[in-house]
């Protein structure tokens, strides 16, 4: 009887061990799948984290690029005597784009105008303006021959008359020489003709400066052919004085 009981007990133990082995064997693929799933989830989490870091870094770079771009734009903008300026580059040339309001007699703004200066107006303050520049509605520019020989004389003349036109002032050229006036169909004018119009005379001088010779007759002395600098300084001064701003 003892032997029979031992046999039965041993048989049950072996069957239980066998069943346990079978269960463990059956669980191996499941464990492997679980490990693979955990590994895949870990890789996805790592990839997502790296992707978020990459997107954040790109966004940060774009932000700094945009901020630098805005800073560069603002750095090139400034205001001088009520005129908004922006430094712009056209090819190899640098201009200063001016935006200023056009007002009527009552001081009401009727339009906005633009004009390109070649010089930074802040760098022209070394050219003295000793008198207020208040022009009449008709202006005659009278350059002498020595000034006309300067390299920038044509650019200065075009800018001078264009600016006057934008300001609603009629501009024309004249001469002190009667023969030239007849040959080139120009006005023969001098400071004696400044009763009903403003006369602006450009002439060679030892120092570049701007002053009033007599009522409505302005003299622009040009040294070292600084005619472009002197002309733009005159235009800036004219606009500033018209608005009651000292330069």
């Amino acid at each position: 009887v003892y032997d029979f009981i031992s046999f039965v007990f041993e048989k049950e133990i072996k069957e239980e061990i066998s069943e346990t082995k079978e269960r463990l064997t059956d669980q191996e693929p499941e464990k492997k799948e679980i490990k693979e799933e955990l590994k895949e989830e870990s890789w996805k989490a790592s990839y997502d984290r790296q992707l978020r870091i990459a997107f954040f870094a790109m966004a940060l770079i774009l932000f700094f690029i945009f901020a630098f771009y805005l800073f560069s734009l603002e750095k090139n903008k400034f205001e001088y005597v009520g005129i908004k300026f922006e430094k712009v580059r056209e090819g190899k040339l640098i201009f200063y784009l001016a935006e200023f309001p056009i007002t009527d007699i009552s001081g009401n703004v009727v339009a906005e105008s633009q004009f390109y200066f070649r010089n930074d107006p802040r760098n022209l303050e070394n050219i003295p303006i000793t008198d207020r520049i208040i022009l009449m509605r008709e202006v005659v520019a009278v350059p002498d021959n020595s000034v006309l020989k300067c390299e920038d004389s044509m650019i200065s003349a075009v800018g001078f008359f264009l600016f006057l036109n934008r300001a609603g002032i009629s501009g024309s050229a004249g001469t002190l020489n009667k023969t030239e006036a007849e040959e080139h169909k120009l006005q023969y004018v001098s400071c004696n003709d400044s009763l009903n119009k403003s006369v602006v005379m450009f002439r060679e001088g030892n120092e570049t400066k701007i002053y009033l010779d007599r009522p409505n007759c302005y003299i622009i002395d040009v040294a070292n052919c600084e005619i472009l600098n002197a002309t733009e300084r005159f235009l800036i001064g004219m606009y500033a004085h018209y608005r009651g701003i000292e330069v």
Side-chain angles (χ1 to χ4, degrees):
V1 175
Y2 176 78
D3 291 338
F4 176 75
I5 294 173
S6 297
F7 172 76
V8 172
F9 184 72
E10 184 177 350
K11 183 179 179 181
E12 289 178 355
I13 291 175
K14 286 181 180 181
E15 289 177 355
E16 186 176 347
I17 291 173
S18 177
E19 290 175 358
T20 302
K21 285 182 178 182
E22 289 178 2
R23 286 199 305 271
L24 292 174
T25 303
D26 294 337
Q27 289 178 356
E28 283 299 324
E30 294 180 1
K31 289 182 178 179
K32 189 174 182 181
E33 289 178 4
I34 293 172
K35 287 182 179 180
E36 291 295 331
E37 290 177 0
L38 291 175
K39 185 177 180 181
E40 185 176 353
E41 289 178 0
S42 177
W43 180 85
K44 286 182 178 180
S46 177
Y47 176 78
D48 290 342
R49 185 169 57 256
Q50 292 177 5
L51 195 62
R52 286 195 298 270
I53 292 173
F55 276 125
F56 177 77
M58 289 177 62
L60 196 61
I61 292 171
L62 290 175
F63 170 78
F64 280 114
I65 292 175
F66 184 68
F68 179 77
Y69 174 73
L70 290 179
F71 174 76
S72 299
L73 289 179
E74 292 302 318
K75 184 180 178 181
N76 290 329
K77 294 180 180 180
F78 61 92
E79 187 170 324
Y80 185 77
V81 298
I83 302 176
K84 295 178 180 179
F85 285 89
E86 181 179 359
K87 184 179 178 181
V88 295
R89 183 182 294 274
E90 297 290 342
K92 295 182 179 180
L93 298 177
I94 294 177
F95 296 90
Y96 292 86
L97 175 60
E99 295 184 358
F100 54 93
I102 302 298
T103 59
D104 57 19
I105 299 176
S106 302
N108 300 315
V109 177
V110 295
E112 291 285 339
S113 186
Q114 292 184 335
F115 186 82
Y116 285 91
F117 286 88
R118 293 295 303 273
N119 294 287
D120 185 333
R122 297 169 297 185
N123 296 334
L124 301 177
E125 292 183 346
N126 61 320
I127 299 176
I129 301 177
T130 58
D131 301 282
R132 292 179 61 81
I133 303 173
I134 304 296
L135 301 180
M136 302 184 74
R137 285 300 176 184
E138 182 182 355
V139 174
V140 181
V142 186
D144 65 20
N145 290 330
S146 59
V147 171
L148 289 175
K149 295 177 183 178
C150 295
E151 181 180 359
D152 295 328
S153 61
M154 185 59 67
I155 298 175
S156 301
V158 171
F160 182 79
F161 291 118
L162 181 60
F163 191 93
L164 293 183
N165 179 263
R166 297 282 174 84
I169 298 174
S170 174
S172 59
T175 179
L176 289 170
N177 188 303
K178 287 185 178 181
T179 304
E180 285 185 358
E182 293 174 357
E183 290 179 354
H184 301 286
K185 296 181 179 180
L186 298 172
Q187 297 184 64
Y188 171 69
V189 294
S190 67
C191 280
N192 296 325
D193 302 304
S194 61
L195 296 177
N196 59 352
K197 56 191 169 188
S198 295
V199 176
V200 181
M201 303 185 68
F202 296 81
R203 65 188 190 186
E204 187 177 18
N206 296 323
E207 177 190 1
T208 301
K209 57 184 179 180
I210 300 166
Y211 58 95
L212 185 67
D213 183 66
R214 63 184 66 183
N216 295 324
C217 184
Y218 296 89
I219 307 296
I220 301 179
D221 282 343
V222 179
N224 304 315
C225 275
E226 296 176 338
I227 185 169
L228 182 59
N229 293 18
T231 301
E232 292 189 347
R233 176 64 170 166
F234 180 88
L235 297 176
I236 292 291
M238 178 197 78
Y239 181 83
H241 290 163
Y242 179 75
R243 299 196 64 187
I245 301 173
E246 295 297 327
V247 291

